[in-house]
Amino acid sequence: MRILSGIQPSGTMHIGNFLGAVKHWVDSQSPEAYYCVVDLHALTLEIEPSVLREQTADCVASLLAAGLDPEICTLFIQSHVPYHARLSWLLECVASYGELSRMTQFKEKAERQEGYRVGLLTYPVLMAADILLYNAQQVPVGDDQRQHLELTRNIAERFNNRYGEVFTIPEAIQPNAASRVMDLQEPTRKMSKSISSPLGSVYLLDEPSEIEKKIKKAVTDTENEVRFDWETKPGISNLLEIYSSFEGSSPEAIASRYTRYGDLKSDLALLVIESLAPIAERYRELRNDPVALEAVILRGDEKAAEIAGPVYRLASAAMGLI
Ligand code: AMP
Ligand code: TRP
């Protein structure tokens, strides 16, 4: 089963990214899995070049530290494989302005700034190119990307009808657990890199003392019963869900082990600290060895281009480019 997914190199990874996306990538890695760091997508919003440079390397190192094995899957950088930008142009001539301007994410992001970039509008076309170049059958993404996936399917079907069967129609798949990790301070809002309270997000590279502090201060409720119930107990349910994703047992089974919030929090803090420690250690090793990191990237880029090149050529020939 061919899989492709992408992650933006924006900011440090938190346990929401890890449990909602990256852990799933690690669990489903195979020689048929392609994962890319989508640096071109990061250019759709304002970002300092030096920051983008650092964060792209941080992102690759974090993914490897979290367990992606370049001997098993292919990890590459979007901008290093020129076919992404090239196919994106071809697909811009298949997609319509109307359907792009109706995308929820576009409307939300465009509303927040004046003179937004054209790339913000065409962002999902580039994402469609990422997916279609690899004939991906499955695309693991969070809830927020489902609409872009639907658009990708529409563009691919339109292309195939108009120019002949070139693209595989992809399907979105969602990780079973923790597709939404909530902010620890505001458990009704998604844990996020951009709009988060300082104590709301646990980052993969947080010090153990910070992790403990954040979990101990997590907002709960005024009852004192440990029960898994998103409706009335979002804070406790979020903690149980995080616990469950790291440990593997169900949130209900974990709830039945505790009578006190304090005990649940102490054990969860320990579990998160123990689970993240080896990741943080591997991250530091990798980040301090730019030569090794570079070699991994180069190999991934080459493997990706071997798949993307022929698909791009089929698409451009089908459209009449000689
Ligand atoms: P982003 O940080 O928005 O680029 O997201 C990278 C990946 O992490 C995407 O697949 C998101 O769906 C996923 N993700 C981001 N925040 C969360 C969260 N709070 N809970 C679960 N998954 C998340
Ligand atoms: N737009 C996705 C996000 O913000 C990232 C992304 C880019 C992606 N290209 C992709 C995800 C292709 C899956 C497949 O999370």
Side-chain angles (χ1 to χ4, degrees), residues 119-139:
L120 199 59
L121 178 71
T122 56
Y123 175 118
V125 182
L126 178 59
M127 179 164 163
D130 298 340
I131 296 166
L132 299 178
L133 278 173
Y134 297 86
N135 284 323
Q137 293 155 291
Q138 295 191 332
V139 183

mmCIF file of all heavy atoms in Angstrom, residues 119-139:
data_model
loop_
_atom_site.group_PDB
_atom_site.id
_atom_site.type_symbol
_atom_site.label_atom_id
_atom_site.label_comp_id
_atom_site.label_asym_id
_atom_site.label_seq_id
_atom_site.Cartn_x
_atom_site.Cartn_y
_atom_site.Cartn_z
ATOM 1 N N GLY A 119 0.291 32.107 -3.000
ATOM 2 C CA GLY A 119 0.589 30.739 -2.570
ATOM 3 C C GLY A 119 -0.369 30.220 -1.508
ATOM 4 O O GLY A 119 -0.580 29.007 -1.391
ATOM 5 N N LEU A 120 -0.950 31.126 -0.759
ATOM 6 C CA LEU A 120 -1.907 30.698 0.264
ATOM 7 C C LEU A 120 -3.157 30.105 -0.401
ATOM 8 O O LEU A 120 -3.759 29.155 0.094
ATOM 9 C CB LEU A 120 -2.291 31.901 1.137
ATOM 10 C CG LEU A 120 -2.895 31.587 2.494
ATOM 11 C CD1 LEU A 120 -1.968 30.749 3.353
ATOM 12 C CD2 LEU A 120 -3.243 32.886 3.220
ATOM 13 N N LEU A 121 -3.507 30.677 -1.543
ATOM 14 C CA LEU A 121 -4.664 30.180 -2.295
ATOM 15 C C LEU A 121 -4.338 28.858 -2.996
ATOM 16 O O LEU A 121 -5.133 27.922 -2.988
ATOM 17 C CB LEU A 121 -5.080 31.228 -3.336
ATOM 18 C CG LEU A 121 -6.247 30.853 -4.257
ATOM 19 C CD1 LEU A 121 -7.561 30.838 -3.487
ATOM 20 C CD2 LEU A 121 -6.351 31.816 -5.431
ATOM 21 N N THR A 122 -3.114 28.784 -3.566
ATOM 22 C CA THR A 122 -2.780 27.593 -4.364
ATOM 23 C C THR A 122 -2.153 26.475 -3.510
ATOM 24 O O THR A 122 -1.864 25.399 -4.034
ATOM 25 C CB THR A 122 -1.817 27.969 -5.509
ATOM 26 O OG1 THR A 122 -0.663 28.605 -4.944
ATOM 27 C CG2 THR A 122 -2.469 28.933 -6.487
ATOM 28 N N TYR A 123 -1.985 26.737 -2.234
ATOM 29 C CA TYR A 123 -1.432 25.758 -1.285
ATOM 30 C C TYR A 123 -1.975 24.334 -1.469
ATOM 31 O O TYR A 123 -1.215 23.367 -1.565
ATOM 32 C CB TYR A 123 -1.747 26.322 0.107
ATOM 33 C CG TYR A 123 -1.428 25.533 1.329
ATOM 34 C CD1 TYR A 123 -0.519 26.025 2.268
ATOM 35 C CD2 TYR A 123 -2.065 24.341 1.631
ATOM 36 C CE1 TYR A 123 -0.258 25.336 3.433
ATOM 37 C CE2 TYR A 123 -1.802 23.649 2.792
ATOM 38 C CZ TYR A 123 -0.900 24.151 3.697
ATOM 39 O OH TYR A 123 -0.638 23.462 4.848
ATOM 40 N N PRO A 124 -3.316 24.160 -1.543
ATOM 41 C CA PRO A 124 -3.814 22.776 -1.679
ATOM 42 C C PRO A 124 -3.498 22.137 -3.029
ATOM 43 O O PRO A 124 -3.496 20.914 -3.135
ATOM 44 C CB PRO A 124 -5.330 22.901 -1.485
ATOM 45 C CG PRO A 124 -5.651 24.330 -1.415
ATOM 46 C CD PRO A 124 -4.412 25.138 -1.368
ATOM 47 N N VAL A 125 -3.193 22.948 -4.054
ATOM 48 C CA VAL A 125 -2.814 22.359 -5.340
ATOM 49 C C VAL A 125 -1.413 21.756 -5.221
ATOM 50 O O VAL A 125 -1.136 20.667 -5.724
ATOM 51 C CB VAL A 125 -2.852 23.411 -6.475
ATOM 52 C CG1 VAL A 125 -2.514 22.759 -7.807
ATOM 53 C CG2 VAL A 125 -4.202 24.085 -6.533
ATOM 54 N N LEU A 126 -0.536 22.469 -4.522
ATOM 55 C CA LEU A 126 0.802 21.931 -4.271
ATOM 56 C C LEU A 126 0.705 20.648 -3.445
ATOM 57 O O LEU A 126 1.405 19.672 -3.687
ATOM 58 C CB LEU A 126 1.659 22.985 -3.553
ATOM 59 C CG LEU A 126 3.079 22.579 -3.170
ATOM 60 C CD1 LEU A 126 3.910 22.167 -4.381
ATOM 61 C CD2 LEU A 126 3.788 23.718 -2.411
ATOM 62 N N MET A 127 -0.213 20.649 -2.487
ATOM 63 C CA MET A 127 -0.416 19.442 -1.669
ATOM 64 C C MET A 127 -0.925 18.296 -2.547
ATOM 65 O O MET A 127 -0.498 17.145 -2.394
ATOM 66 C CB MET A 127 -1.404 19.761 -0.546
ATOM 67 C CG MET A 127 -1.703 18.587 0.345
ATOM 68 S SD MET A 127 -2.495 19.158 1.876
ATOM 69 C CE MET A 127 -3.192 17.611 2.459
ATOM 70 N N ALA A 128 -1.805 18.603 -3.494
ATOM 71 C CA ALA A 128 -2.293 17.567 -4.420
ATOM 72 C C ALA A 128 -1.128 17.012 -5.234
ATOM 73 O O ALA A 128 -1.007 15.795 -5.429
ATOM 74 C CB ALA A 128 -3.362 18.156 -5.343
ATOM 75 N N ALA A 129 -0.232 17.903 -5.672
ATOM 76 C CA ALA A 129 0.944 17.448 -6.435
ATOM 77 C C ALA A 129 1.797 16.512 -5.576
ATOM 78 O O ALA A 129 2.237 15.453 -6.041
ATOM 79 C CB ALA A 129 1.764 18.650 -6.907
ATOM 80 N N ASP A 130 2.010 16.879 -4.299
ATOM 81 C CA ASP A 130 2.795 16.028 -3.381
ATOM 82 C C ASP A 130 2.249 14.602 -3.390
ATOM 83 O O ASP A 130 2.992 13.626 -3.413
ATOM 84 C CB ASP A 130 2.694 16.523 -1.931
ATOM 85 C CG ASP A 130 3.239 17.923 -1.716
ATOM 86 O OD1 ASP A 130 4.026 18.386 -2.554
ATOM 87 O OD2 ASP A 130 2.862 18.557 -0.689
ATOM 88 N N ILE A 131 0.938 14.520 -3.325
ATOM 89 C CA ILE A 131 0.285 13.215 -3.165
ATOM 90 C C ILE A 131 0.261 12.438 -4.488
ATOM 91 O O ILE A 131 0.615 11.266 -4.546
ATOM 92 C CB ILE A 131 -1.154 13.422 -2.644
ATOM 93 C CG1 ILE A 131 -1.110 14.045 -1.239
ATOM 94 C CG2 ILE A 131 -1.936 12.114 -2.655
ATOM 95 C CD1 ILE A 131 -2.445 14.600 -0.760
ATOM 96 N N LEU A 132 -0.133 13.136 -5.561
ATOM 97 C CA LEU A 132 -0.366 12.444 -6.836
ATOM 98 C C LEU A 132 0.933 11.986 -7.499
ATOM 99 O O LEU A 132 0.957 10.989 -8.199
ATOM 100 C CB LEU A 132 -1.178 13.348 -7.778
ATOM 101 C CG LEU A 132 -2.572 13.722 -7.237
ATOM 102 C CD1 LEU A 132 -3.292 14.663 -8.193
ATOM 103 C CD2 LEU A 132 -3.421 12.482 -6.956
ATOM 104 N N LEU A 133 2.038 12.694 -7.239
ATOM 105 C CA LEU A 133 3.324 12.306 -7.825
ATOM 106 C C LEU A 133 3.770 10.923 -7.377
ATOM 107 O O LEU A 133 4.613 10.295 -8.023
ATOM 108 C CB LEU A 133 4.423 13.288 -7.394
ATOM 109 C CG LEU A 133 4.542 14.595 -8.162
ATOM 110 C CD1 LEU A 133 5.556 15.498 -7.470
ATOM 111 C CD2 LEU A 133 4.967 14.339 -9.608
ATOM 112 N N TYR A 134 3.258 10.462 -6.249
ATOM 113 C CA TYR A 134 3.712 9.180 -5.691
ATOM 114 C C TYR A 134 2.670 8.087 -5.860
ATOM 115 O O TYR A 134 2.795 7.020 -5.270
ATOM 116 C CB TYR A 134 4.156 9.375 -4.225
ATOM 117 C CG TYR A 134 5.330 10.320 -4.190
ATOM 118 C CD1 TYR A 134 5.119 11.704 -4.160
ATOM 119 C CD2 TYR A 134 6.625 9.848 -4.321
ATOM 120 C CE1 TYR A 134 6.182 12.589 -4.235
ATOM 121 C CE2 TYR A 134 7.700 10.723 -4.396
ATOM 122 C CZ TYR A 134 7.469 12.086 -4.351
ATOM 123 O OH TYR A 134 8.523 12.941 -4.444
ATOM 124 N N ASN A 135 1.599 8.373 -6.615
ATOM 125 C CA ASN A 135 0.510 7.405 -6.750
ATOM 126 C C ASN A 135 0.047 6.898 -5.391
ATOM 127 O O ASN A 135 -0.236 5.706 -5.221
ATOM 128 C CB ASN A 135 0.947 6.205 -7.608
ATOM 129 C CG ASN A 135 0.987 6.567 -9.076
ATOM 130 O OD1 ASN A 135 0.144 7.335 -9.561
ATOM 131 N ND2 ASN A 135 1.978 6.059 -9.789
ATOM 132 N N ALA A 136 0.021 7.794 -4.424
ATOM 133 C CA ALA A 136 -0.323 7.378 -3.058
ATOM 134 C C ALA A 136 -1.765 6.874 -3.012
ATOM 135 O O ALA A 136 -2.662 7.480 -3.577
ATOM 136 C CB ALA A 136 -0.149 8.546 -2.098
ATOM 137 N N GLN A 137 -1.951 5.739 -2.336
ATOM 138 C CA GLN A 137 -3.305 5.213 -2.137
ATOM 139 C C GLN A 137 -3.864 5.725 -0.823
ATOM 140 O O GLN A 137 -5.052 5.959 -0.687
ATOM 141 C CB GLN A 137 -3.267 3.677 -2.137
ATOM 142 C CG GLN A 137 -2.906 3.112 -3.503
ATOM 143 C CD GLN A 137 -2.282 1.737 -3.391
ATOM 144 O OE1 GLN A 137 -1.166 1.590 -2.901
ATOM 145 N NE2 GLN A 137 -3.015 0.724 -3.815
ATOM 146 N N GLN A 138 -2.982 5.835 0.159
ATOM 147 C CA GLN A 138 -3.430 6.297 1.468
ATOM 148 C C GLN A 138 -2.627 7.512 1.924
ATOM 149 O O GLN A 138 -1.409 7.557 1.756
ATOM 150 C CB GLN A 138 -3.249 5.193 2.509
ATOM 151 C CG GLN A 138 -4.122 3.995 2.227
ATOM 152 C CD GLN A 138 -4.131 3.041 3.396
ATOM 153 O OE1 GLN A 138 -3.162 2.973 4.162
ATOM 154 N NE2 GLN A 138 -5.211 2.292 3.543
ATOM 155 N N VAL A 139 -3.327 8.474 2.501
ATOM 156 C CA VAL A 139 -2.678 9.680 3.004
ATOM 157 C C VAL A 139 -3.107 9.889 4.458
ATOM 158 O O VAL A 139 -4.237 10.301 4.723
ATOM 159 C CB VAL A 139 -3.096 10.912 2.161
ATOM 160 C CG1 VAL A 139 -2.373 12.162 2.636
ATOM 161 C CG2 VAL A 139 -2.810 10.676 0.681
#
